[in-house]
Amino acid sequence: MTHIKTFGIMYRFSHLLLLLLLISCSSSKSKLPENNYFNRNYFYNDSLKVGIDFDKNVQFREVSSDKEKEFKQLLKSNKISPKDLFLVADCKEKGVEIYFFYKNVPSSSINPNNRKTVVSDTVNNTFFFEKQKGKRKVLGLVKTNAAKDNTPSIFVTDLLNKIAIDSLNTSKMSFVSIFAKNFPSVHPNPLFASKKLETAPLKSKGGNDDKFQFLSTVNSSMSNNKLYDSLIVSYEKERKQNFNSLIVDLSNKEDVYKDNAVFGKIAEIAKENQVIMLNEDHYYPKHRLFAMELLETLKANGYNYLSLEGFNITSNEKESTPNYHNGIYTDEPYFAHFIRKAIALGFTVSGHENVDKGGDREMGQAKNIMKILEKDPKAKIFVYVGHNHIEKKNEKKNWMAEYFKELSGINPITINQTVICADTKQDLTLLPRKYFNDTTKVKSSADYFLVNNLKPSLKIIFPNVIFKKTIIKDAKFSDYKNKEVLIEIIDFKEFDLMKNLAIPIQSFLMIPKGKEINFELPIGKYHVFVKTDNDKTIYDDDIIVN
């Protein structure tokens, strides 16, 4: 049962109103929000075991509770600490601001039943509410705008009914939503997103499930990363068992090409063919590195168009470098290096992603690539995609490459670097299709298969540049002497041009040594961010390496 009490202007509410102002303009002190998870309008805090299923159009704000001495004095009568604040939400449609606090109550105060209480200050349109289950209590402060909602008490009562203590609504929470919320499209913190995904209050199905896919995606953008390495070892294990001995048996064949010979063979293919399609696994920086190294070979053989899956050209054409607005794939440093080199070599870079939600994605992609040929019939195009989009023949469905072949009359040469994993002495091994016609291990119609064991390194990106040891110092690093932090290195010219849209040339994990973090960089000027797994930036400055 909900008890509602109405009072005039009271001492406790005049001070609680002041609390609203203090909270809204201060920095974070509470640690409770670190375990907040969101899916659109559903909220859950894993450590507190509190779930709230809000109405639509709720916006969650960053929790901030500074000026702690003032808070303690103001809230002393209500026994609420600023560190008890775990959630701030707005419902602009209703004209409502809501602040949620959490407390464990003494055993003497335990009520065996769910208890709900609402206390209202009708003059100031402010409500203070409580909901308790056992030792757990959620307290809230609601500020309403009566001009927008004539029945604020109904809103508050309804809200209380939607607060669930010790209950997670699994149908409202997903790894997809956690990824989307914590890995934004502009300058995300992959270390923070990784922690949120890894510690999410959801069961993993195992294998290549949503948790694995999103964890692998966010961790692929951070080098020196033990978690990423362990995920990939598990991901490749079965395929290596299937292919290791086969690749050894084929390694001495005359038409199996290794390392530099791979580029020589593709050069021969490029001379005679108008379209080459290469696929990638979206978790692999090494796949982007191979695509980048292939660009010079293709350019020398008349290729001047690069068409990318999931790539957006921004409306602001002043950017001559990749940026976060280009799409989710470009935020991985080696994908960005791939695009930088294509631009530097004079490729026309475009995206062929289908944006017609009502149409077939594969057909839409094929038609978008066709637009290049409509403008330039003799164009030689390098098409870069994920996984199965290169399939020209598949019993279950038609993929982009098959539609493109039908529309253009051009038989694209397809190279698959996602199917075969094997432990080889060579970095690259290229095998023709004929060696896999009679095996069930390969389910792809590709013309060639690449075993890619490249090891991404910034020294491959800058082969003729001097690297110097660099040290950055900050007292805050000492707080993380036993914990990894994320270091992002951004070319200064790009940062100066695009600020937070600029993509790092390198992102890596490291444990600080006291007040210092050291690493190697090419001679030059950079902007450096150091971030933590609770989404705090503890270093933000320019550095010069000379």
Side-chain angles (χ1 to χ4, degrees):
M1 181 178 179
T2 302
H3 303 282
I4 299 180
K5 301 178 183 179
T6 303
F7 299 91
I9 300 176
M10 295 164 42
Y11 177 82
R12 68 187 280 184
F13 283 109
S14 62
H15 287 77
L16 285 170
L17 282 171
L18 182 56
L19 165 65
L20 278 169
L21 298 175
L22 294 175
I23 291 174
S24 63
C25 62
S26 52
S27 61
S28 177
K29 291 291 183 181
S30 174
K31 292 186 178 181
L32 298 181
E34 291 181 9
N35 291 288
N36 286 352
Y37 294 88
F38 306 91
N39 181 9
R40 296 182 181 177
N41 298 309
Y42 181 72
F43 161 85
Y44 186 72
N45 185 297
D46 188 36
S47 66
L48 305 181
K49 308 302 179 189
V50 173
I52 308 173
D53 191 0
F54 289 91
D55 282 329
K56 62 181 181 179
N57 297 327
V58 166
Q59 294 183 332
F60 300 106
R61 299 211 322 250
E62 180 182 356
V63 172
S64 52
S65 56
D66 205 354
K67 303 183 180 179
E68 192 169 322
K69 290 181 180 179
E70 293 181 64
F71 277 156
K72 286 182 178 179
Q73 184 61 37
L74 287 167
L75 302 177
K76 187 175 181 181
S77 60
N78 297 294
K79 298 181 180 179
I80 300 174
S81 164
K83 292 185 178 181
D84 295 332
L85 181 67
F86 68 89
L87 179 65
V88 182
D90 289 339
C91 182
K92 292 184 179 179
E93 201 174 74
K94 297 282 187 180
V96 170
E97 301 170 69
I98 320 165
Y99 297 81
F100 294 89
F101 302 82
Y102 178 85
K103 290 186 69 175
N104 281 317
V105 300
S107 300
S108 58
S109 302
I110 292 177
N111 188 309
N113 302 313
N114 282 345
R115 187 178 70 184
K116 308 170 190 175
T117 305
V118 178
V119 182
S120 65
D121 174 359
T122 55
V123 174
N124 291 293
N125 300 309
T126 305
F127 291 78
F128 186 80
F129 64 80
E130 297 179 359
K131 185 169 184 177
Q132 181 178 338
K133 182 180 180 182
K135 292 183 178 181
R136 301 176 181 275
K137 181 186 287 189
V138 174
L139 307 97
L141 179 64
V142 178
K143 173 64 178 175
T144 69
N145 182 345
K148 288 190 176 183
D149 189 346
N150 294 323
T151 56
S153 61
I154 296 175
F155 171 85
V156 177
T157 303
D158 184 52
L159 176 62
L160 273 169
N161 291 330
K162 293 177 178 179
I163 297 173
I165 301 174
D166 287 334
S167 178
L168 166 65
N169 187 340
T170 54
S171 67
K172 293 282 187 177
M173 188 62 65
S174 69
F175 288 110
V176 175
S177 66
I178 293 170
F179 172 80
K181 177 68 179 179
N182 298 295
F183 199 70
S185 59
V186 175
H187 209 162
N189 178 345
L191 181 59
F192 171 66
S194 176
K195 178 184 176 183
K196 299 297 285 188
L197 287 162
E198 195 174 14
T199 61
L202 299 169
K203 290 184 179 180
S204 172
K205 297 177 182 178
N208 191 21
D209 68 350
D210 284 349
K211 181 177 183 179
F212 170 83
Q213 292 181 33
F214 290 120
L215 259 182
S216 299
T217 297
V218 300
N219 279 279
S220 69
S221 62
M222 301 180 289
S223 57
N224 194 32
N225 186 338
K226 293 180 181 179
L227 175 57
Y228 174 77
D229 293 342
S230 67
L231 289 166
I232 295 304
V233 165
S234 175
Y235 184 51
E236 293 182 343
K237 183 177 180 180
E238 184 177 347
R239 280 176 292 165
K240 285 187 174 182
Q241 290 172 345
N242 286 337
F243 291 115
N244 269 344
S245 60
L246 178 60
I247 300 305
V248 170
D249 292 343
L250 295 174
S251 62
N252 293 322
K253 299 288 184 180
E254 289 185 359
D255 54 357
V256 172
Y257 305 89
K258 302 165 191 173
D259 292 335
N260 287 335
V262 170
F263 299 98
K265 178 58 181 176
I266 294 177
E268 292 177 12
I269 295 169
K271 286 178 184 178
E272 304 298 327
N273 292 274
Q274 192 172 355
V275 178
I276 291 177
M277 296 185 177
L278 172 68
N279 73 348
E280 71 159 22
D281 194 316
H282 299 314
Y283 319 138
Y284 283 107
K286 66 182 180 181
H287 287 177
R288 285 92 187 246
L289 182 58
F290 172 70
M292 186 198 80
E293 294 200 303
L294 189 57
L295 287 169
E296 288 186 6
T297 298
L298 296 178
K299 186 67 177 177
N301 288 280
Y303 279 71
N304 43 28
Y305 291 90
L306 172 62
S307 186
L308 302 165
E309 175 193 346
F311 183 81
N312 306 310
I313 295 293
T314 63
S315 58
N316 189 350
E317 294 297 335
K318 75 174 185 179
E319 297 105 337
S320 58
T321 74
N323 63 83
Y324 284 110
H325 281 166
N326 290 143
I328 191 171
Y329 301 139
T330 56
D331 61 18
E332 190 277 303
Y334 285 90
F335 203 116
H337 286 306
F338 170 35
I339 297 171
R340 287 187 189 98
K341 186 166 185 179
I343 293 170
L345 288 172
F347 278 83
T348 298
V349 182
S350 61
H352 61 256
E353 188 57 72
N354 177 40
V355 295
D356 180 6
K357 295 182 179 180
D360 181 272
R361 183 187 181 197
E362 305 301 317
M363 175 60 83
Q365 289 185 348
K367 287 181 177 179
N368 287 332
I369 299 171
M370 282 295 300
K371 292 177 182 178
I372 298 173
L373 293 172
E374 290 166 4
K375 292 182 179 179
D376 184 358
K378 294 183 179 180
K380 300 188 83 170
I381 311 169
F382 179 25
V383 180
Y384 191 68
V385 302
H387 291 282
N388 293 332
H389 297 297
I390 64 165
E391 297 301 327
K392 294 183 284 189
K393 184 179 180 180
N394 187 283
E395 294 178 358
K396 294 182 179 180
K397 69 171 287 182
N398 290 350
W399 292 90
M400 177 275 293
E402 184 170 358
Y403 282 127
F404 174 80
K405 183 179 177 181
E406 293 174 0
L407 292 171
S408 66
I410 297 171
N411 183 17
I413 299 301
T414 53
I415 304 172
N416 191 321
Q417 62 175 335
T418 68
V419 169
I420 300 177
C421 294
D423 295 310
T424 61
K425 294 180 181 179
Q426 298 77 29
D427 288 334
L428 299 169
T429 306
L430 184 70
L431 306 103
R433 169 76 203 172
K434 69 179 185 179
Y435 292 118
F436 303 98
N437 285 332
D438 299 325
T439 177
T440 58
K441 293 179 180 179
V442 172
K443 296 180 180 180
S444 172
S445 63
D447 298 307
Y448 292 88
F449 295 89
L450 183 76
V451 182
N452 183 339
N453 285 322
L454 289 170
K455 296 175 178 61
S457 164
L458 206 58
K459 291 185 177 181
I460 297 175
I461 306 299
F462 303 103
N464 301 313
V465 177
I466 296 173
F467 278 68
K468 290 285 188 74
K469 183 178 179 181
T470 305
I471 298 175
I472 57 174
K473 299 180 180 181
D474 196 290
K476 292 189 286 292
F477 295 164
S478 300
D479 297 333
Y480 298 88
K481 60 184 178 181
N482 296 315
K483 198 169 187 178
E484 286 183 324
V485 294
L486 170 65
I487 297 94
E488 295 180 328
I489 311 295
I490 303 174
D491 180 271
F492 180 78
K493 290 181 180 178
E494 293 187 10
F495 182 76
D496 191 45
L497 177 68
M498 292 182 289
K499 303 307 179 190
N500 273 350
L501 289 178
I503 298 171
I505 63 168
Q506 187 179 35
S507 297
F508 57 94
L509 300 179
M510 184 170 283
I511 298 175
K513 295 180 179 179
K515 298 178 182 179
E516 297 183 354
I517 296 175
N518 64 77
F519 43 85
E520 284 192 330
L521 282 178
I523 291 173
K525 187 174 182 180
Y526 306 93
H527 193 87
V528 178
F529 290 102
V530 179
K531 300 178 179 180
T532 70
D533 66 3
N534 62 346
D535 207 22
K536 303 301 177 186
T537 299
I538 57 174
Y539 188 89
D540 177 357
D541 206 354
D542 302 333
I543 65 168
I544 296 176
V545 180
N546 53 30

